[in-house]
Amino acid sequence: MHDFGHLLIVLVAVLVGTKLLGALAQRAGQPAVLGELVAGVLLGGSLLGLLDPSEAVIQSLSELGVLILLFEIGLHTDLRSLAKVGGTATTVGAVGVLLPFLLGYGAASMLGVERLPAIVCGAALTATSIGISARVLADLGELESTEGQVVLGAAVLDDVVGLIILSVVSGLAAGGAVTALGIARTTAVAIGFVVAALVIGGLVAPPAFRQVDRFQRTGDVLGPIALAFALVLAWLAEHSGSAMIIGAFAAGLVLHGTPQRKAIEKSITTLGHYIVPVFFAVVGASVDVRSLAHGPILLIGGTLIVVGVAGKVAAGYAPWWFRGRKLLVGVAMVPRGEVGLIFAQLGLTTGVLSVELFSALALMVMVTTFLAPPAIGRLSAGRGRSHPTPSSGVAELVTGVQPE
Amino acid sequence: MHDFGHLLIVLVAVLVGTKLLGALAQRAGQPAVLGELVAGVLLGGSLLGLLDPSEAVIQSLSELGVLILLFEIGLHTDLRSLAKVGGTATTVGAVGVLLPFLLGYGAASMLGVERLPAIVCGAALTATSIGISARVLADLGELESTEGQVVLGAAVLDDVVGLIILSVVSGLAAGGAVTALGIARTTAVAIGFVVAALVIGGLVAPPAFRQVDRFQRTGDVLGPIALAFALVLAWLAEHSGSAMIIGAFAAGLVLHGTPQRKAIEKSITTLGHYIVPVFFAVVGASVDVRSLAHGPILLIGGTLIVVGVAGKVAAGYAPWWFRGRKLLVGVAMVPRGEVGLIFAQLGLTTGVLSVELFSALALMVMVTTFLAPPAIGRLSAGRGRSHPTPSSGVAELVTGVQPE
């Protein structure tokens, strides 16, 4: 009873902190997720000491939060949209994964970081936050522009590739040796799981959810059953050597094409408003603010920021045949947001990253997430501003904005 | 990590079990909550052994679930509606609390139950499930009839009085002696807390929520902040000697009059679809099915069912001046639903009730909840059936039906 009373206070602090700082961030023209992270930093062990990321219930809610977020990202991802935006987006996406990875791995190695944590640093740099990129472009009325479409397509590709990288890194972190064969095997398992989930799920889920939809007379049975489906795939992914969030993401991809998608997305998005911030707050609380002031951390963090920005901006110039605003495309790929944090968090919980390296990565995520929106705004100047029209529940979960 | 994997499987079982059995119950013309209870019984220790009510995360989610449900009930309760339906509803409500309490206490005492558990038995019999009553009446097109209005008003009064009784019982269960002074003091604390919460909250909450509403540019900040408000009042209630659910209920009453109520109710109801069933499943899992077959349990349970039905039906006849269908009013007050379960659960967790007595009460709740809907249907026959129009998010949470 006493423990539950304490849990109530922690939940109140997390809800009020993330929502108010999120709204404050929005007022300052920043994505809400930034405010949620800052709330976590304030509540965490290095400052107020109220939010303990290792507490069982908080940890479970946080892990549920990230599964819900990835499920939502999957629900919103249309694999065919990749094909439509074609070669340009694919090139930007592929270069935007490869270049930051190599630059990040190389820079970390040169600074004396060991092989496995250096790989995690490189992997974290590959991320692009589709939620933040989409939201910022929508705010600027750029979502329907050619550049906006390229960024969206590339960000989707980044998500898929990033999750495979994540699975590889998870496998490595779990003790696998860093061999070409091991990487190939882990990649095969990750791809194999997604393919199996998409093929089997694609056959089983649509008729099953049609039945659920018919079976329920009225009311919200679809949302909870869809969540259960995502949790089952997350469990299966974990037990087949892949990562839980890949399972949740695959569940979203499978349900993307069903007629029930809209109802599911609406319900899951509302649930996410309560639980996803716990994840961001826990990530923020895991940052040791005091360690940021150490010289080596600032050095590594600063270096990762430089190569992280450079790698993504260069990716915007990779499709040489593309006649649009390449700098805009590249800068729009810069914010790492929640995906970068997932990498960093995974590295921390598996023990691959020290708290200092984790803090350096969190610094990189915060700075890239923070810098990109005003930069995109400058590059886009001259185009008419339209009303915010966030394109998805993902953007809503990340930014706290509801689609109109 | 392993524990979280197990939690995923338990959550999947709870979500799928409660939603499918809930929908099945609806198909059979029963309220969904019945199916959710049965799902809990099936998953619980006496059968499948998958759902352990004492597991920390499950217990926390279950307690959050009941707080969310009571918050929702409060959000839907308009104290002025009591005044409108006037003396008839008040008389039915008052007699419907007093008579079942005295009958239940007397019957339990005569069967050899000790004083404190006998009081809990009597208290559990006072409950009326406003959610189930409202839903059943709506299904039958009776919600707008005079009888429907009387039942609604009486059920609201029952909720308020029932919560005070609950608080008294909580105080007694926590070790207070069963003295008139003690009861008066606990009643004063319970009433004092609700009055203080209503007065102070009524002054502070509307401008605060107006600010939150203005402050958020778009998106769902209101729902999570409202939940935080409810959790704060729950915590305050607990620490001022009242019960947590009274705090959550008072928070709902306070926010009932704000212009933001609809937005809050919509968001909280969706959240409740995921978390409230955990409470019902946990209550179901707490029932020891094997103990139901014991003679003494069947005797006590059967006796409580008889006096529980008789007390509420008699209450329908209490307002002698009322010219409507008194039997219909009385029978509509019979289902105990979630409120009766809260009493039983409180008795169990505080150690006042043995598992056998708890099971007898759960049997009473199940039977009264199960019997009432078809009985009301028979009594209402001849009136035209209209489309189901559940009147509230409360009904939705209890029955799984969304307002149209």
Side-chain angles (χ1 to χ4, degrees):
Chain A
M1 231 32 185
H2 171 260
D3 278 339
F4 185 68
H6 181 69
L7 176 66
L8 286 188
I9 293 307
V10 173
L11 287 179
V12 167
V14 169
L15 285 172
V16 173
T18 56
K19 292 298 164 177
L20 290 191
L21 290 185
L24 209 63
Q26 282 179 276
R27 293 232 140 198
Q30 300 298 325
V33 65
L34 207 68
E36 299 181 3
L37 287 168
V38 173
V41 173
L42 295 177
L43 295 172
S46 57
L47 289 171
L48 292 179
L50 194 56
L51 181 61
D52 175 8
S54 66
E55 198 277 317
V57 179
I58 291 297
Q59 198 178 357
S60 297
L61 288 177
S62 163
E63 295 193 53
L64 282 176
V66 68
L67 291 183
I68 290 169
L69 180 65
L70 267 285
F71 180 39
E72 179 69 19
I73 292 177
L75 268 176
H76 189 67
T77 300
D78 185 359
L79 283 175
R80 285 167 302 182
S81 74
L82 267 188
K84 281 186 197 160
V85 291
T88 307
T90 309
T91 306
V92 172
V95 175
V97 164
L98 276 176
L99 206 55
F101 179 81
L102 293 176
L103 287 173
Y105 175 73
S109 297
M110 285 203 299
L111 290 167
V113 175
E114 286 180 36
R115 198 167 182 189
L116 191 51
I119 289 176
V120 175
C121 288
L125 285 181
T126 66
T128 297
S129 165
I130 182 171
I132 293 171
S133 295
R135 166 68 202 291
V136 174
L137 291 169
D139 277 358
L140 300 168
E142 291 275 13
L143 203 56
E144 309 302 319
S145 70
T146 314
E147 290 83 1
Q149 291 294 303
V150 169
V151 170
L152 273 188
V156 168
L157 185 67
D158 250 29
D159 267 8
V160 176
V161 177
L163 287 166
I164 290 170
I165 295 177
L166 189 63
S167 186
V168 174
V169 172
S170 305
L172 295 175
V178 191
T179 65
L181 187 69
I183 292 175
R185 208 176 58 83
T186 316
T187 308
V189 168
I191 296 178
F193 175 80
V194 172
V195 170
L198 290 180
V199 171
I200 299 173
L203 290 172
V204 172
F209 277 85
R210 194 162 56 238
Q211 284 305 317
V212 171
D213 200 7
R214 273 191 206 161
F215 188 70
Q216 69 170 353
R217 299 201 138 177
T218 45
D220 192 2
V221 173
L222 274 174
I225 295 292
L227 178 63
F229 178 64
L231 299 185
V232 165
L233 283 201
W235 188 86
L236 284 176
E238 171 93 347
H239 281 252
S240 67
S242 183
M244 278 197 184
I245 56 173
I246 291 197
F249 179 72
L253 288 179
V254 165
L255 295 183
H256 174 80
T258 62
Q260 291 80 31
R261 197 242 304 183
K262 285 226 159 197
I264 293 170
E265 198 170 351
K266 197 177 160 201
S267 177
I268 293 287
T269 301
T270 299
L271 175 68
H273 284 307
Y274 294 84
I275 302 186
V276 175
V278 179
F279 169 69
F280 289 122
V282 162
V283 172
S286 309
V287 178
D288 186 350
V289 176
R290 286 162 303 189
S291 75
L292 290 180
H294 289 195
I297 301 307
L298 286 177
L299 178 65
I300 296 179
T303 308
L304 290 178
I305 290 168
V306 171
V307 300
V309 171
K312 290 290 187 184
V313 170
Y317 286 89
W320 67 90
W321 61 90
F322 177 59
R323 294 263 151 248
R325 290 164 292 168
K326 297 173 180 183
L327 186 57
L328 177 62
V329 169
V331 172
M333 302 282 293
V334 165
R336 262 61 178 189
E338 72 286 358
V339 191
L341 288 175
I342 291 168
F343 278 97
Q345 186 74 359
L346 179 82
L348 184 67
T349 53
T350 53
V352 171
L353 295 180
S354 62
V355 174
E356 286 74 20
L357 263 182
F358 169 80
S359 300
L361 276 178
L363 184 66
M364 180 277 294
V365 169
M366 284 192 177
V367 171
T368 58
T369 305
F370 196 88
L371 280 185
I376 300 170
R378 291 203 164 203
L379 291 169
S380 158
R383 288 244 172 181
R385 271 178 174 261
S386 74
H387 291 290
T389 49
S391 63
S392 71
V394 180
E396 197 188 338
L397 280 184
V398 175
T399 63
V401 170
Q402 280 181 325
E404 284 165 86
Chain B
M1 230 34 183
H2 170 259
D3 278 338
F4 185 68
H6 180 69
L7 177 67
L8 286 189
I9 293 306
V10 174
L11 288 179
V12 167
V14 168
L15 286 172
V16 173
T18 57
K19 292 297 165 180
L20 290 191
L21 289 185
L24 209 62
Q26 281 180 278
R27 294 230 139 200
Q30 300 299 325
V33 65
L34 208 69
E36 299 181 3
L37 287 168
V38 172
V41 172
L42 294 177
L43 295 172
S46 57
L47 288 172
L48 292 179
L50 194 56
L51 180 62
D52 176 7
S54 66
E55 198 278 316
V57 179
I58 291 296
Q59 198 178 1
S60 296
L61 288 177
S62 163
E63 294 193 54
L64 281 176
V66 68
L67 291 182
I68 290 169
L69 180 66
L70 268 285
F71 179 40
E72 178 70 18
I73 292 176
L75 269 176
H76 187 68
T77 300
D78 185 359
L79 283 174
R80 287 167 303 183
S81 75
L82 267 188
K84 281 185 200 161
V85 290
T88 307
T90 309
T91 306
V92 172
V95 175
V97 165
L98 276 177
L99 207 53
F101 179 81
L102 294 176
L103 287 174
Y105 175 74
S109 297
M110 284 203 300
L111 290 168
V113 175
E114 286 181 35
R115 198 169 182 185
L116 191 50
I119 289 176
V120 175
C121 288
L125 284 181
T126 66
T128 296
S129 165
I130 182 170
I132 293 170
S133 295
R135 166 69 204 290
V136 174
L137 291 168
D139 277 359
L140 299 167
E142 290 277 12
L143 204 57
E144 310 301 318
S145 71
T146 315
E147 291 83 1
Q149 291 293 302
V150 170
V151 171
L152 274 187
V156 169
L157 185 68
D158 250 29
D159 267 8
V160 176
V161 176
L163 287 165
I164 290 171
I165 295 178
L166 190 63
S167 186
V168 173
V169 172
S170 307
L172 295 175
V178 191
T179 65
L181 188 70
I183 292 175
R185 209 178 57 83
T186 316
T187 307
V189 168
I191 296 178
F193 175 81
V194 172
V195 170
L198 290 179
V199 171
I200 300 173
L203 291 172
V204 173
F209 277 85
R210 193 162 54 241
Q211 285 304 317
V212 171
D213 200 7
R214 272 192 205 159
F215 188 70
Q216 69 169 351
R217 298 203 141 175
T218 44
D220 192 2
V221 173
L222 274 174
I225 295 292
L227 178 64
F229 178 64
L231 298 185
V232 166
L233 283 202
W235 187 86
L236 285 175
E238 171 93 345
H239 281 251
S240 67
S242 185
M244 279 197 183
I245 56 172
I246 292 197
F249 179 72
L253 287 179
V254 165
L255 296 183
H256 174 79
T258 62
Q260 292 78 31
R261 197 241 304 182
K262 285 229 157 194
I264 293 170
E265 199 170 350
K266 197 177 160 203
S267 176
I268 293 287
T269 301
T270 299
L271 175 67
H273 284 307
Y274 293 85
I275 303 187
V276 174
V278 179
F279 168 69
F280 289 122
V282 162
V283 172
S286 309
V287 178
D288 186 349
V289 176
R290 288 162 300 191
S291 76
L292 289 180
H294 289 194
I297 300 308
L298 286 178
L299 179 65
I300 296 178
T303 307
L304 291 177
I305 290 168
V306 171
V307 300
V309 171
K312 291 290 186 184
V313 170
Y317 286 90
W320 66 92
W321 62 89
F322 178 59
R323 294 265 152 247
R325 288 163 292 167
K326 296 174 179 179
L327 186 58
L328 176 62
V329 169
V331 173
M333 302 282 292
V334 165
R336 263 61 179 189
E338 72 286 358
V339 191
L341 289 174
I342 292 168
F343 278 96
Q345 185 75 358
L346 179 81
L348 184 68
T349 53
T350 53
V352 171
L353 294 180
S354 62
V355 174
E356 286 74 21
L357 263 181
F358 169 80
S359 300
L361 277 178
L363 183 67
M364 180 278 295
V365 169
M366 284 191 177
V367 171
T368 58
T369 305
F370 196 89
L371 280 184
I376 300 170
R378 292 205 163 202
L379 291 168
S380 160
R383 288 243 171 183
R385 269 177 176 261
S386 72
H387 292 290
T389 51
S391 63
S392 70
V394 181
E396 196 188 337
L397 280 184
V398 175
T399 63
V401 171
Q402 280 183 326
E404 285 165 84

